[in-house]
């Protein structure tokens, strides 16, 4: 995956609170077994940590001056995105949101942009306080995506993904798929408390995978507003394979087999490895969000 070296990155779409403190904050899930259980339950869940029992009474995070300036000062152009991980995520956020803004407009709607919050350790959100153990998530309470960049190392080392830049892009695009669902009023279908291979929770997750594939289909043709050229200039077959590998690595069956030694489909909340790959491919092949109806 390559970015246009001369493109200007819009860092206003990312809030960097890494190294921040949370006054009075107390995350109810820490490391070790508790953190692992939270990760198994919460990975890419698309709802805030309050729905996982991770809430605490906490103020908003307070960012230090250095953390606020880190991304803004170092992530200016597509050239930076081609060489630095955090800048690459900024560029992916820009591309994903450019696509959905244009797609909503084409359909006669209005897309509301959602910031991604970079954090480390723990973070306070409108959905409660969570630790990094929860994995990336979208909070409908404040309509923000939350991401500890250290997760990408865990995706490779703990979950067996091949990794790579597009594996990271898949994760980001999946979370923005939840934002699209929130704007369209479908995200709430996951909140009926049911689990299992045919549950609404799984269907919501698979639709977000499909929406990630839709963006990927259009990634190299979605024009950046600052240049009139696509921000992403190259997306190879190898990139797509990395994305599919990441989707499989976080399938419920793969995670359960790896961490508990058995597969229990009745507890699934995200879908199997095969399902996640299938729906990403559906979106990527068709490029049409109307073909992402996982509720039929």
């Amino acid at each position: 995956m390559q970015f246009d070296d001369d493109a200007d990155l819009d860092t206003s779409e990312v809030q960097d609170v890494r190294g921040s403190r949370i006054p009075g904050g107390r995350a109810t899930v820490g490391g070790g077994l508790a953190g692992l259980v939270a990760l198994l339950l919460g990975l890419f869940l698309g709802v805030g940590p309050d729905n996982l029992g991770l809430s605490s009474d906490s103020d908003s995070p307070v960012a230090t001056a250095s953390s606020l300036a880190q991304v803004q000062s170092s992530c200016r152009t597509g050239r930076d995105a081609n060489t630095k991980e955090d800048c690459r995520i900024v560029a992916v956020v820009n591309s994903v949101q450019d696509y959905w803004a244009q797609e909503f407009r084409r359909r006669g709607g209005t897309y509301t942009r959602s910031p991604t919050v970079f954090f480390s350790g723990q973070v306070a959100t409108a959905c409660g306080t969570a630790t990094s153990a929860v994995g990336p998530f979208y909070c409908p309470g404040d309509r923000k995506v939350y991401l500890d960049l250290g997760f990408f190392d865990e995706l490779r080392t703990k979950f067996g993904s091949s990794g790579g830049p597009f594996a990271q892009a898949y994760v980001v695009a999946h979370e923005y798929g939840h934002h699209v669902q929130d704007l369209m009023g479908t995200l709430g279908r996951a909140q009926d408390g049911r689990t299992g291979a045919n549950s609404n929770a799984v269907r919501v997750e698979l639709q977000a995978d499909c929406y990630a594939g839709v963006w990927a289909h259009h990634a190299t043709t979605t024009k950046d507003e600052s240049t009139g050229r696509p921000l992403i200039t190259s997306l190879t077959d190898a990139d797509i394979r990395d994305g599919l590998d990441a989707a499989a690595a976080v399938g419920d069956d793969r995670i359960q087999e790896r961490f508990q030694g058995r597969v229990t489909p009745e507890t699934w909340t995200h879908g199997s490895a095969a399902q996640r790959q299938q729906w990403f491919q559906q979106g990527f092949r068709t490029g049409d969000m109307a073909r992402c109806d996982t509720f039929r």
Side-chain angles (χ1 to χ4, degrees), residues 85 88-89 92 149 152 155 163-173 246:
E85 180 183 61
R88 179 165 61 241
I89 303 306
V92 171
L149 297 183
F152 294 131
L155 184 62
F166 193 77
Q168 299 173 357
Y170 155 75
V171 171
V172 174

Side-chain angles (χ1 to χ4, degrees), residues 67-80:
S67 72
L68 286 171
Q70 184 171 338
V71 165
Q72 286 81 355
S73 63
S74 63
C75 301
R76 297 181 179 277
T77 68
R79 183 175 288 105
D80 297 323

